[in-house]
């Protein structure tokens, strides 16, 4: 498995989005190490405005790839072109030559990768353990975004919302097929799995009944593999039984001014639930959910949906099954996810640094700590930093700083 990836340095969400892509690359190979085949040393040349990578950012993002399973870091391009359509795309050796910031960072990264290659315990060939998975389905991606649908849904952004909520809690996430062997996971999240086969529905239902925690998002099992609608409340009989709900009607939020070009931006939907932090909002989707044996955790509070369930939970065999009929705002989704993980017995790691936007990933016997924030972060982690040989506890990471800790 290999990937060409070019996150935008100007977008503060890029590190979280890149983390999702790297987890996908690892997952596509069944957890085996993968290859970062292309990334840019600094700026690209094909956006309207091409931001350079901040000092240390290329190094930090490279170590993020290693942390999430990469066994090789490559670049496009070697020498920055002197002519042609990609002459302003950065290279390992810039137009300015080797007496440059970019080249010195390339040298530093190369030296650190050599250190990791010789470290004991080593990182090459090691795997990234995960007890949480997100079900990804390419057919659902294509189907949910086709025209003549109830509303506009970005499949990737929906997956990203769930992935970001999980990883913000320090949890590592695999991507899986819904009909794969799910027994290694404690929690499986199924966002917008629009197209579902009978085998996939059976696999998900059996996972919950065997003791797992299943979380199903809106727009799931609307059709079978031939895009024929599953009648009788959508979801399919097997999933309806496990979730204890069925869907009476879609009611996605409409634009406030339908005469506006493109229909305008859809308004948020309001709902409330103590578990999610009181009165909160959702986006993208909403629907009339009928409860048939499930507990209502949150309820829509406005418009035609007022009083109808938004989030439900049901005990299913040895496990449990949740249904979420909208896309909660980030803070509410994070609270929901944290509650689900704790209830499933997933151990949430204690914060290992001060500061915000610090990524922590364990691969094999090494813990990677990467500071994507604008402020310095101090480590609260016992062990030794492989890169410096210094004790990890008390080590201060500046913006784009990296520590790789042997516990």
């Amino acid at each position: 498995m290999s990937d060409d990836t070019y996150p935008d340095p100007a977008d503060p969400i890029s590190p979280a989005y890149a983390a999702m892509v790297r987890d996908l690359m690892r997952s596509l190979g069944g957890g085996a190490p993968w290859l970062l085949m292309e990334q840019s040393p600094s700026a690209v040349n094909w956006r309207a405005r091409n931001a350079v990578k901040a000092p240390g950012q290329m190094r930090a993002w490279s170590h993020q790839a290693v942390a999430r399973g990469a066994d090789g870091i490559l670049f496009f391009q070697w020498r920055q072109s002197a002519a042609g359509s990609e002459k302003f795309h950065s290279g390992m050796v810039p137009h300015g030559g080797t007496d440059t910031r970019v080249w010195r960072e390339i040298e530093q990264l190369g030296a650190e990768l050599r250190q990791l290659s010789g470290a004991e315990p080593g990182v090459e060939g090691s795997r990234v353990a995960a007890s949480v998975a997100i079900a990804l389905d390419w057919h659902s991606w294509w189907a949910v975004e086709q025209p003549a649908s109830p509303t506009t849904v970005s499949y990737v952004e929906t997956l990203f919302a769930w992935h970001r909520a999980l990883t913000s809690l320090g949890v590592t996430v695999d991507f899986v097929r819904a009909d794969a062997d799910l027994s290694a996971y404690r929690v499986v999240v199924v966002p917008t799995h629009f197209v579902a086969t009978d085998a996939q529905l059976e696999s998900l239902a059996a996972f919950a009944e065997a003791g797992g925690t299943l979380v199903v998002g809106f727009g799931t099992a609307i059709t079978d593999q031939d895009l024929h609608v599953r009648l009788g409340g959508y979801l399919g009989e097997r999933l309806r039984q496990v979730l204890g709900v069925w869907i009476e009607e879609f009611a996605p939020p409409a634009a406030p001014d339908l005469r506006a070009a493109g229909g305008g931006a859809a308004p948020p939907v309001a709902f409330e639930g103590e578990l999610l932090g009181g009165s909160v909002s959702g986006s993208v989707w909403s629907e009339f959910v009928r409860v048939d044996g499930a507990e209502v955790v949150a309820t829509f509070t406005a418009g035609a949906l007022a009083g109808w369930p938004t989030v439900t939970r049901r005990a299913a065999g040895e496990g449990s099954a949740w249904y979420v009929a909208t896309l909660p705002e980030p803070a509410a989704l994070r609270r929901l996810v944290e509650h689900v993980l704790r209830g499933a017995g997933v151990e949430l790691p204690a914060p290992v640094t001060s500061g915000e936007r610090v990524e922590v990933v364990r691969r094999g016997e090494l813990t990677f700590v990467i500071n994507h924030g604008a402020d310095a972060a101090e480590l609260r982690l016992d062990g030794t930093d492989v890169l410096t040989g210094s004790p990890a506890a008390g080590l201060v990471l500046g913006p784009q700083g990296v520590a790789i800790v042997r516990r």
Side-chain angles (χ1 to χ4, degrees), residues 11-87:
D11 187 347
I13 293 178
S14 282
Y17 196 88
M20 179 178 76
V21 175
R22 304 191 198 293
D23 285 348
L24 175 59
M25 291 303 112
R26 182 186 70 249
S27 300
L28 288 172
W34 55 280
L35 179 69
L36 178 56
M37 192 168 68
E38 284 190 19
Q39 67 168 340
S40 62
S42 188
V44 299
N45 71 325
W46 38 262
R47 294 187 176 100
R49 289 172 175 78
N50 298 293
V52 299
K53 289 182 176 175
Q57 195 168 47
M58 176 278 295
R59 169 180 175 260
W61 289 4
S62 297
H63 281 301
Q64 181 196 54
V66 176
R68 295 185 179 273
D71 263 8
I73 304 296
L74 285 71
F75 292 89
F76 180 84
Q77 50 190 324
W78 166 226
R79 287 185 176 85
Q80 190 173 9
S81 303
S85 62
E86 293 183 299
K87 57 183 173 291

Side-chain angles (χ1 to χ4, degrees), residues 128-147:
V128 180
S131 59
V132 179
I134 293 176
L136 181 146
D137 182 69
W138 307 98
H139 298 280
S140 293
W141 183 351
W142 303 329
V144 78
E145 295 186 4
Q146 69 183 345

Side-chain angles (χ1 to χ4, degrees), residues 23 68 131-135 158-175 187-191 215 330 333-342 346-349 360:
D23 285 348
R68 295 185 179 273
S131 59
V132 179
I134 293 176
T158 304
L159 258 63
F160 175 60
W162 285 96
H163 183 274
R164 191 181 187 193
L166 290 161
T167 55
S168 71
L169 295 166
V171 173
T172 306
V173 177
D174 285 344
F175 287 96
V187 176
V188 173
V189 178
V190 189
V215 183
L333 185 57
R334 191 176 190 272
R335 283 191 289 268
L336 172 62
V337 163
E338 182 175 2
H339 183 87
V340 168
L341 294 176
R342 292 190 186 280
V346 175
E347 183 178 352
L348 299 182
V360 182

Side-chain angles (χ1 to χ4, degrees), residues 91-140:
M92 295 166 67
V93 181
H95 290 154
T98 56
D99 187 14
T100 53
R101 173 184 75 93
V102 168
W103 176 253
R104 283 188 284 273
E105 289 193 27
I106 292 286
E107 283 193 309
Q108 180 185 5
L109 176 65
E112 290 174 349
L113 294 179
R114 184 180 297 114
Q115 280 182 272
L116 287 178
S117 294
E120 291 293 340
V123 71
E124 286 179 83
S126 64
R127 296 201 170 210
V128 180
S131 59
V132 179
I134 293 176
L136 181 146
D137 182 69
W138 307 98
H139 298 280
S140 293

